[in-house]
Amino acid sequence: MEIIRLLSGPVIGAIIGYFTNYIAVKMLFRPLHPVYLFGKQLPFTPGIIPKGKGRLARAIGGVVGDTLLTEDSLQDILLSDEVKAQLRENLEGTLQRTADMPLREVCLRITDETGYDAGREIMWQKLTDVLADRVLDMQLGQVISQEVLDAVRHKVSGSLIGMILSEEMLESFAAPIRDGVDHYLDGNVHALLAPQVEKLWQEAEQKTIEDVGRVLQDTGIQLTDIVMQIYETLVSQKGITMLQMLHLGEIAEHKVMAMQPEELEALVMSVMKKELGAVVNLGALVGFVIGLLNLMF
């Protein structure tokens, strides 16, 4: 009987500690919904986590968007050897299956007619702009004016007109020719190039994947390598833009907010059931130890 009396204190302390922590853990989630008495909401209802779901959702969204998935981490994932190897394998399989399909048809498998036409117009404009810049950078006015002068010199060389036309006079003709060509190109280079770009594009989109691959192979280039290079460049240079477009933090926040209290409880318990169980058992242990201390003092 004396032993039972001595152990009753620690045992009761353990029971109290166990159920105290058990209730505390349950109050993290329960009750799942507000409880009202006489029209007033009772305190501690709903549970801590359901009541703070909004703050939890914002915190998770912030962690996902700002900490877990940064530009560097995205690049580490998308440019890892494993991902690139899998992408290359899938790409090669796709190219083999679509080898006899025209490029236009391949693109229409990815997007609809409206999207393809809009993308094509953008590509035409981009290509025209690039080519126009290259043409203007060639300084064709200077080149043409010098070619014209060289032709005139050759034509009148040894003639009376050649004796009359001094080098200074010939050079004075160069400036109007140069300025005229440059002025004409500045105002018309896009109009000159646009039909040619459109024609080349229309011819190219009728080529099959196999045709394109064969042409590239003749130059020692693999179509797969080109696509992979474009992929790596986009990820490296546009990683932050891709993250901003995905809005991953907002998606995570909305997903948490859309969860029912039961689903949120199941999610947290699936991750922390063992740890929360340890908290409950720790309460029993602490209660038992306190009961023993009471016997000693």
Side-chain angles (χ1 to χ4, degrees):
M1 295 296 295
E2 183 66 20
I3 295 177
I4 295 176
R5 188 183 68 78
L6 292 175
L7 291 178
S8 61
V11 170
I12 293 173
I15 294 173
I16 293 174
Y18 178 89
F19 280 100
T20 299
N21 282 18
Y22 178 82
I23 293 172
V25 168
K26 282 298 181 181
M27 287 181 65
L28 292 174
F29 308 98
R30 302 301 174 117
L32 297 174
H33 305 282
V35 176
Y36 294 91
L37 183 63
F38 304 117
K40 293 186 177 182
Q41 182 177 336
L42 295 180
F44 306 111
T45 66
I48 295 173
I49 290 181
K51 188 173 184 179
K53 186 171 69 171
R55 295 193 303 272
L56 177 64
R58 288 190 294 273
I60 292 176
V63 170
V64 171
D66 301 331
T67 305
L68 295 182
L69 288 178
T70 62
E71 183 180 8
D72 291 338
S73 63
L74 181 67
Q75 290 184 9
D76 290 340
I77 295 172
L78 296 182
L79 296 180
S80 65
D81 293 339
E82 181 180 355
V83 170
K84 289 194 294 185
Q86 184 64 46
L87 179 61
R88 178 179 289 274
E89 181 179 344
N90 293 339
L91 179 59
E92 290 174 347
T94 301
L95 292 177
Q96 290 177 0
R97 291 191 299 271
T98 59
D100 58 346
M101 293 176 57
L103 289 175
R104 176 184 174 84
E105 187 175 343
V106 174
C107 292
L108 288 176
R109 286 196 169 191
I110 302 173
T111 183
D112 56 19
E113 191 82 30
T114 302
Y116 176 78
D117 290 341
R120 181 177 59 182
E121 292 292 338
I122 294 173
M123 290 301 299
W124 283 353
Q125 185 62 47
K126 293 288 186 181
L127 288 172
T128 302
D129 291 343
V130 171
L131 291 175
D133 291 339
R134 296 296 183 269
V135 169
L136 295 177
D137 289 342
M138 292 169 64
Q139 298 182 335
L140 291 179
Q142 180 67 27
V143 174
I144 292 173
S145 65
Q146 290 302 316
E147 289 295 325
V148 170
L149 292 185
D150 291 342
V152 171
R153 292 190 187 98
H154 179 73
K155 190 70 174 178
V156 302
S157 177
S159 65
L160 178 61
I161 297 178
M163 298 175 62
I164 295 174
L165 293 175
S166 64
E167 189 63 28
E168 289 77 10
M169 293 178 63
L170 289 174
E171 289 294 337
S172 67
F173 298 149
I177 296 174
R178 182 188 66 245
D179 295 342
V181 171
D182 289 342
H183 179 72
Y184 178 79
L185 290 177
D186 283 341
N188 297 278
V189 66
H190 280 80
L192 292 172
L193 290 174
Q196 301 304 317
V197 170
E198 182 177 353
K199 181 180 178 181
L200 289 173
W201 185 280
Q202 291 173 344
E203 293 175 354
E205 67 182 359
Q206 298 305 319
K207 300 289 186 182
T208 65
I209 296 293
E210 187 177 12
D211 293 334
V212 176
R214 188 181 302 112
V215 172
L216 293 174
Q217 193 171 12
D218 291 340
T219 62
I221 302 174
Q222 295 291 331
L223 181 58
T224 306
D225 293 335
I226 294 178
V227 177
M228 291 300 300
Q229 184 62 49
I230 294 174
Y231 168 77
E232 292 180 21
T233 301
L234 285 175
V235 173
S236 299
Q237 297 182 359
K238 302 294 183 179
I240 188 64
T241 303
M242 294 169 63
L243 276 176
Q244 292 172 348
M245 291 174 60
L246 292 174
H247 302 294
L248 296 176
E250 295 181 13
I251 293 175
E253 181 178 343
H254 292 158
K255 286 293 185 181
V256 174
M257 286 297 298
M259 295 178 70
Q260 295 298 319
E262 296 86 349
E263 296 175 320
L264 189 61
E265 179 183 16
L267 174 64
V268 176
M269 290 301 293
S270 67
V271 176
M272 301 189 63
K273 184 176 181 179
K274 183 177 180 180
E275 288 75 12
L276 293 177
V279 170
V280 174
N281 294 330
L282 180 62
L285 178 61
V286 171
F288 186 82
V289 172
I290 293 175
L292 289 178
L293 293 176
N294 284 333
L295 292 177
M296 298 173 60
F297 300 98

